[in-house]
């Protein structure tokens, strides 16, 4: 059955990078029979301009109806003075909350040719392929009570609550184990069970869920050690599963192992595997409209969408292999100029990937 993909180009370089992902998807449709339909909607600053709000009901309706969503980026200086609820970034938070996209997937993959762009030694990162699965809608960022108070002696105090219920832990664990089944079959659950009660429950549930996935091995690591190990020997990891706060920090650290921000895809999934896929980078207003942005993060996000939500892994492989080959030929956008032989525009990068797909 034809799958419906909603495209949300957004602001800044968003429309430019989405156009290249669409070029790749269209090619797969026309030449290889990929069975998807696409439609567009507004989100972010452009939605504010056209509809007076960053996540309009029309967009929500289409998002609910779609099988998967591919987003460019939102934001820009022209909207920074707006009220909080009207700002472009609010559109992003709204769609994640409305669709209950609680599982954030952030792969950290080093392409051989780009290993030199990492801040770590080549041999530590060459061949790196980690998937960080971060719980996105719970934990300390949302826990209650939270706030500020003034104590009797006049001193001010602030507090947040790290809280996870069993069902929240269970569902993110299922995501992690199911992803590991499709990869190297190892899950490392990161917590702080030596000092946090919430981590004790996290660990207990991880062990319980792991029994349902006999082909996948489970290990545990305290978050402080996990940060050290990511820098010391990152290739020891396959899938890392962790809560919102620890995942926020670990996924950015892992991203930096791989080089440019223009290369990093991500996904946010709901309980049924429906998801929104987007590059990790923002709308890059400094380079918008110049045809120089790197579209690979968005093209790889489209590949993730095909693999993880739409069940078209063979097409995802085609895209990922083409990206690898193009980079191996020394072709890259300006952000990679220190390591590529031939510098190309955003559109030329999309064309090169399309031409290389087999
Ligand atoms: P940014 O990621 O947009 O840009 C940071 C730097 O990386 C810039 O120098 C930019 O030119 C460069 N860069 C980013 N993507 C690139 C690409 N594909 N190719 C080449 N270079 C690239 O972050 P920022 O400057 O902090 O934020 C700009 C705007 O984006 C803000 O309005 C912010 O709120 C928004 N933002 C949106 C998202 C999102 O939509 N998911 C994420 C982060 C920031």
């Amino acid at each position: 059955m034809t799958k419906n993909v909603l495209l949300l180009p957004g602001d800044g370089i968003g429309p430019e990078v989405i156009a290249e992902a669409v070029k790749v998807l269209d090619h797969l449709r026309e030449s290889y029979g990929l069975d998807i339909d696409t439609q567009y909607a507004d989100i972010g600053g452009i939605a504010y301009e056209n509809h007076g709000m960053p996540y309009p009901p029309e967009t929500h309706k289409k998002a609910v109806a779609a099988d998967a969503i591919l987003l460019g980026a939102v934001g820009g200086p022209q909207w920074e003075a707006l009220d909080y609820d009207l700002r472009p970034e609010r559109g992003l938070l709204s769609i994640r909350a409305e669709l209950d996209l609680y599982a954030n997937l952030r792969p950290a993959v080093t392409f051989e040719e780009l290993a030199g762009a990492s801040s770590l030694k080549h041999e530590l990162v060459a061949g790196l392929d980690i998937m960080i699965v971060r719980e996105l809608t719970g934990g300390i960022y949302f826990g209650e009570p939270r706030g500020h108070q003034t104590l009797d002696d006049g001193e001010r105090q602030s507090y947040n609550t790290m809280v996870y219920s069993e069902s929240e832990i269970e569902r993110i664990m299922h995501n992690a184990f199911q992803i590991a089944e499709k990869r190297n079959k190892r899950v490392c659950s990161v917590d702080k069970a030596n000092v946090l009660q919430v981590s004790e429950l996290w660990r207990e549930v991880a062990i319980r869920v792991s029994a349902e996935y006999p082909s996948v091995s489970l290990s545990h690591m305290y978050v402080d050690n996990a940060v050290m190990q990511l820098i010391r020997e990152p290739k020891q990891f396959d899938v890392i599963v962790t809560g919102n706060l620890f995942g926020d920090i670990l996924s950015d650290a892992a991203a930096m192992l791989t080089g440019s921000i223009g290369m990093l895809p991500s996904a946010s999934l709901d309980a049924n595997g429906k998801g929104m896929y987007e590059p990790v980078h923002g709308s890059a207003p400094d380079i918008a409209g110049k045809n120089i942005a790197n579209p690979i993060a968005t093209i790889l996000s489209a590949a993730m969408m095909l693999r993880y939500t739409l069940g078209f892994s063979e097409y995802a492989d085609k895209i990922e292999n083409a990206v690898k080959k193009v980079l191996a030929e020394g072709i890259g956008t300006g952000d990679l100029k220190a390591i590529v032989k031939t510098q190309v525009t955003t559109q030329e990068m999309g064309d090169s990937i399309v031409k290389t797909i087999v």
Side-chain angles (χ1 to χ4, degrees):
M1 213 173 69
T2 308
K3 304 280 188 181
N4 294 309
V5 174
L6 179 64
L7 301 164
L8 301 174
D11 310 316
I13 61 170
E16 298 171 56
V17 291
I18 284 286
E20 299 316 303
V22 169
K23 210 184 251 179
V24 170
L25 291 172
D26 279 347
H27 178 66
L28 289 173
R29 245 182 346 187
E30 286 152 19
S31 304
Y32 295 93
L34 173 64
D35 195 9
I36 60 167
D37 265 347
T38 51
Q39 22 172 351
Y40 287 84
D42 289 338
I43 195 166
I46 185 76
Y48 172 74
E49 298 301 336
N50 292 340
H51 311 271
M53 59 188 86
Y55 184 53
E58 296 91 301
T59 302
H60 179 62
K61 228 166 119 186
K62 287 184 180 173
V64 169
D67 293 304
I69 300 162
L70 185 64
L71 175 120
V74 301
Q78 63 273 52
W79 299 295
E80 271 167 16
L82 288 174
D83 281 353
Y84 179 74
D85 279 342
L86 296 176
R87 283 191 210 154
E89 293 76 8
R90 187 70 207 170
L92 211 52
L93 296 179
S94 300
I95 191 169
R96 284 182 188 147
E98 294 281 338
L99 301 184
D100 198 15
L101 303 173
Y102 68 88
N104 187 229
L105 274 46
R106 291 259 304 253
V109 175
T110 308
F111 293 93
E112 177 55 29
E113 294 63 36
L114 303 186
S118 169
S119 37
L120 294 194
K121 287 187 201 120
H122 181 274
E123 64 268 25
L124 286 180
V125 292
L128 181 77
D129 184 356
I130 304 175
M131 177 68 84
I132 300 196
V133 179
R134 166 189 170 195
E135 201 290 327
L136 198 60
T137 54
I140 196 165
Y141 292 167
F142 295 91
E144 299 284 347
R146 58 199 286 137
H148 306 284
Q149 63 185 10
T150 303
L151 301 176
D152 290 345
D153 65 1
E155 191 180 8
R156 290 190 307 144
Q157 200 179 51
S158 303
Y159 52 95
N160 293 86
T161 305
M162 188 185 269
V163 54
Y164 271 114
S165 53
E166 271 184 295
S167 58
E168 283 177 303
I169 305 170
E170 237 168 53
R171 62 182 189 173
I172 194 75
M173 287 298 161
H174 281 294
N175 287 95
F177 281 101
Q178 284 164 17
I179 287 164
E181 279 184 324
K182 295 184 191 159
R183 294 171 46 98
N184 291 321
K185 302 187 170 37
R186 284 180 291 119
V187 168
C188 177
S189 170
V190 171
D191 62 34
K192 191 71 182 163
N194 48 346
V195 286
L196 298 176
Q197 275 82 357
V198 64
S199 286
E200 283 175 17
L201 182 66
W202 182 274
R203 202 172 266 222
E204 198 189 301
V205 175
I207 292 168
R208 194 169 73 216
V209 172
S210 75
E212 295 178 44
Y213 300 90
S215 69
V216 179
S217 72
L218 170 68
S219 60
H220 306 273
M221 204 177 268
Y222 298 138
V223 62
D224 42 347
N225 187 26
V227 174
M228 275 201 314
Q229 296 301 328
L230 259 185
I231 309 297
R232 195 184 72 87
E233 199 195 334
K235 282 190 268 185
Q236 70 184 279
F237 295 107
D238 177 23
V239 174
I240 292 176
V241 62
T242 189
N244 207 342
L245 171 65
F246 300 156
D248 194 2
I249 298 163
L250 287 175
S251 59
D252 271 13
M256 272 303 97
L257 302 176
T258 68
S260 169
I261 188 161
M263 304 288 301
L264 299 166
S266 78
S268 307
L269 306 179
D270 76 3
N272 301 313
K274 173 172 169 169
M276 182 164 80
Y277 294 79
E278 57 184 307
V280 164
H281 61 71
S283 59
D286 52 331
I287 60 167
K290 295 184 177 161
N291 194 19
I292 58 174
N294 188 345
I296 291 181
T298 310
I299 290 170
L300 291 176
S301 298
M304 281 184 84
M305 173 180 79
L306 296 175
R307 170 170 287 117
Y308 289 111
T309 292
L310 301 181
F312 294 136
S313 288
E314 67 280 21
Y315 293 102
D317 289 343
K318 281 185 190 299
I319 296 176
E320 287 162 1
N321 289 337
V323 168
K324 271 185 213 149
K325 263 196 216 155
V326 167
L327 291 170
E329 284 164 21
I331 295 170
T333 40
D335 51 312
L336 307 174
K337 69 170 170 264
I339 35 189
V340 296
K341 289 199 292 268
T342 313
Q343 194 174 319
V344 295
T345 64
T346 308
Q347 289 171 353
E348 287 166 343
M349 192 70 198
D351 293 339
S352 303
I353 292 168
V354 163
K355 262 191 264 159
T356 311
I357 286 176
V358 283

